[in-house]
Amino acid sequence: MRTQRQVVDYSLQKRAVLRELLAGRVGTYDVCDASPYLKNAARFHGEPTDRRCPICRSENLTLVHYIYGDELKQSAGQARTLTELPVLAMTLREFQVFVVEVCLGCDWNHLVEQYLLGRDGLTGDSEGISEQDATSAEGGGRRRREAQR
């Protein structure tokens, strides 16, 4: 998505949790504790993946996208499909997206990433045009005018 910015990846934290589980310092019940609300969100709003669950290895993981932001008001904290996010990004100034992976078989869940979306990301792109690009654009306009004469 064009407006995606300030991405935080939690893959190192996930590896640490899995390492602790394999070492026996953390129990399966401690990491496989998805709430019924999260499981329902995964079932109805989640995006299926091709990746297997790192715990049970029998089910594919599902990604759930939760949105938070001041402009969302009562919609904050809702799960949204991946196709809804670009539409929201063009209508709202800024909101945060939290991506959680869920296994519907064993209840494994972990925060995968977090990022910002919204129109505010577009204003930086249009204002961030370099002077060289602006000059070449002006020069191209002059050349076209001279060719027309």
Side-chain angles (χ1 to χ4, degrees):
M1 271 175 250
R2 277 183 58 205
T3 65
Q4 186 175 349
R5 58 200 181 278
Q6 295 183 8
V7 179
V8 179
D9 184 6
Y10 292 95
S11 58
L12 291 176
Q13 186 180 24
K14 176 183 171 180
R15 280 197 263 163
V17 168
L18 292 173
R19 193 172 32 250
E20 293 290 312
L21 180 69
L22 291 174
R25 291 186 285 268
V26 175
T28 307
Y29 291 114
D30 295 327
V31 295
C32 295
D33 59 351
S35 73
Y37 296 113
L38 179 57
K39 290 172 64 174
N40 279 337
R43 200 171 286 119
F44 297 111
H45 302 287
E47 303 291 328
T49 67
D50 294 335
R51 295 188 320 255
R52 289 282 183 191
C53 173
I55 307 300
C56 69
R57 300 193 191 282
S58 63
E59 299 262 342
N60 286 349
L61 294 172
T62 303
L63 297 179
V64 182
H65 298 81
Y66 285 101
I67 57 172
Y68 292 91
D70 293 336
E71 287 183 275
L72 293 168
K73 298 191 185 349
Q74 69 272 11
S75 298
Q78 290 183 349
R80 296 296 177 108
T81 62
L82 195 56
T83 55
E84 292 176 294
L85 294 180
V87 175
L88 287 169
M90 291 298 119
T91 56
L92 300 171
R93 287 187 56 229
E94 184 174 89
F95 62 97
Q96 256 185 327
V97 179
F98 291 87
V99 184
V100 179
E101 66 180 15
V102 181
C103 175
L104 295 173
C106 71
D107 295 346
W108 158 262
N109 63 95
H110 198 274
L111 180 62
V112 177
E113 71 178 348
Q114 146 190 1
Y115 53 88
L116 287 177
L117 283 179
R119 287 190 327 250
D120 281 357
L122 292 175
T123 58
D125 292 342
S126 63
E127 292 174 8
I129 297 175
S130 69
E131 289 181 29
Q132 183 180 5
D133 292 343
T135 308
S136 64
E138 289 173 11
R142 266 189 249 129
R143 281 188 221 116
R144 273 189 233 111
R145 278 185 252 125
E146 290 171 3
Q148 289 174 352
R149 288 184 195 163

